[in-house]
Amino acid sequence: TCTVTDGKITVTAGTTGVVGFTNTYARKVGSLKIIKKLDGGADQIPVFTEEQKQAMTFTVKDSSGAVYKSVTYKDFADGASYTFENVPTGTYTVEETISDVLTNTYQIVVTNNNASAVISDGKTTDVTITNDFTKTGSLTLKKTFAGAEIPADKKNSLQFKYWKINE
């Protein structure tokens, strides 16, 4: 016979006592807040469509490079940040990927991409990723000939110069 009283174990002579133990632990956790900052001036920063918001993906990887979690800009409730709660302590990287939905229209310079974040117990770690937007476009020049016929070799040798004024 085996009894446990006030933390003491008593085993009766000539018997076998079995005592089981359960170790319970909780992994230390913190929070990771991704802050999205937009630069480029009021006339350069787009008003994003839902498709464009979905085109900006933020991937959090652990120290081994394994994906921990991913989120899109569409998930940023206030349009400025997203917080992952209960992130196990450790070192992570945050990477933003932007699809062609935006890069076909804008030149985007991403600052602090692949940022390192150390998560500490009970604390929030901020990572700010900045996008600097510049609108891109195209220009097509078309020359129309009128009057006397111009030989094809002369038409094909024409050159145009252009420049931007009133910046």
Side-chain angles (χ1 to χ4, degrees):
T1 305
C2 176
T3 59
V4 178
T5 307
D6 295 326
K8 294 181 182 179
I9 301 170
T10 305
V11 178
T12 305
T15 64
T16 302
V18 178
V19 178
F21 294 95
T22 303
N23 291 331
T24 304
Y25 82 97
R27 173 81 189 252
K28 293 181 179 183
V29 295
S31 298
L32 174 61
K33 182 177 183 180
I34 302 172
I35 300 168
K36 173 81 165 173
K37 185 176 174 201
L38 305 174
D39 280 341
D43 63 331
Q44 298 294 313
I45 299 172
V47 175
F48 298 113
T49 65
E50 293 303 305
E51 180 184 23
Q52 288 172 324
K53 289 178 183 178
Q54 197 71 31
M56 293 180 273
T57 303
F58 300 84
T59 304
V60 179
K61 296 180 182 178
D62 65 19
S63 59
S64 72
V67 173
Y68 171 69
K69 300 248 180 169
S70 287
V71 66
T72 69
Y73 189 58
K74 185 176 179 180
D75 298 313
F76 283 45
D78 59 4
S81 66
Y82 185 89
T83 302
F84 292 101
E85 302 289 348
N86 299 313
V87 179
T89 56
T91 302
Y92 296 83
T93 57
V94 179
E95 176 186 18
E96 179 182 18
T97 306
I98 302 173
S99 80
D100 292 346
V101 172
L102 282 167
T103 58
N104 288 338
T105 311
Y106 294 91
Q107 176 185 351
I108 306 168
V109 176
V110 181
T111 305
N112 206 27
N113 207 4
N114 291 308
S116 180
V118 177
I119 305 301
S120 300
D121 187 35
K123 305 233 186 272
T124 299
T125 301
D126 293 349
V127 171
T128 301
I129 296 179
T130 302
N131 294 159
D132 191 356
F133 287 87
T134 304
K135 286 182 184 178
T136 60
S138 63
L139 173 66
T140 302
L141 300 175
K142 181 179 179 183
K143 173 71 176 164
T144 304
F145 296 95
E149 184 62 32
I150 298 176
D153 64 324
K154 298 287 186 199
K155 289 181 183 179
N156 293 333
S157 67
L158 291 174
Q159 295 182 358
F160 298 91
K161 290 184 180 181
Y162 64 95
W163 56 91
K164 189 173 182 177
I165 58 173
N166 297 330
E167 179 68 86

